[in-house]
Every structure is written in C-alpha cells, then in structure tokens.
C-alpha cells in the first residue's frame, strides 16, 4: 500500500526517495519528436517519456477492479 502511494505521488505519508528502474518499459525504437510535444495536461510526464500514441492507448483502456481492500482502495484513488 505504501509503495503504491510512493509510486503515484498521491497521499504520501512518508517523505523519502524511491528509485524504480524499469527501462524495459521504454520504446525500443526511436520516436519522432512530434510524439513528445507536451499538451499542458496532467499526463505530460508520461507523454515526455512514452509518447503521445502510448498515452492515447492508455486513456482508451477500461479497468474493472474486484475487491477494494487496502491495495484496491489505493488503486481506485490512482485511477481517478
């Protein structure tokens, strides 16, 4: 639960550093510079790393969460 809070940056009760290395998530081939143009939205950080096409695919996804206990509750807050 605390890891989810630290990764999202929301509702963080702990003030500390978290280093998360996931280079396998980055695009494998170079993207054109137009992919990284910022839009002024709350998703600019993701657009700067993954590109606009990836972000558009993420926004079109639908999620269904079964069980909103401790971790599920945090996931729901992050998805909001």
């Amino acid at each position: 639960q605390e890891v989810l809070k630290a990764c999202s940056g929301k509702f963080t009760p702990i003030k500390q550093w978290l280093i998360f290395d996931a280079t396998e998530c980055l695009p494998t081939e170079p993207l054109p510079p137009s992919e990284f143009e910022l839009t002024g939205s709350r998703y600019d950080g993701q657009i700067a790393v993954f590109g606009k096409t990836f972000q558009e695919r993420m926004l079109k996804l639908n999620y269904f969460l079964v069980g909103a206990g401790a971790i599920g509750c945090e996931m729901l807050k992050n998805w909001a």
Side-chain angles (χ1 to χ4, degrees):
Q1 181 178 2
E2 297 302 319
V3 172
L4 293 174
K5 289 179 182 179
C7 290
S8 69
K10 290 184 176 181
F11 314 109
T12 52
I14 303 171
K15 299 293 181 199
Q16 62 186 11
W17 289 94
L18 173 71
I19 298 174
F20 182 72
D21 185 5
T23 56
E24 65 273 3
C25 296
L26 296 174
T28 54
E29 48 193 54
L31 298 174
S34 62
E35 274 290 311
F36 301 106
E37 292 176 0
L38 304 181
T39 60
S41 70
R42 67 187 236 180
Y43 303 111
D44 279 348
Q46 292 176 352
I47 291 171
V49 175
F50 300 112
K52 284 184 183 178
T53 305
F54 175 82
Q55 185 60 37
E56 289 170 0
R57 279 188 281 156
M58 291 294 289
L59 290 173
K60 291 179 183 176
L61 291 176
N62 294 318
Y63 295 101
F64 180 73
L65 179 69
V66 176
I71 292 178
C73 186
E74 293 303 317
M75 293 303 296
L76 287 173
K77 288 192 277 186
N78 290 336
W79 291 348

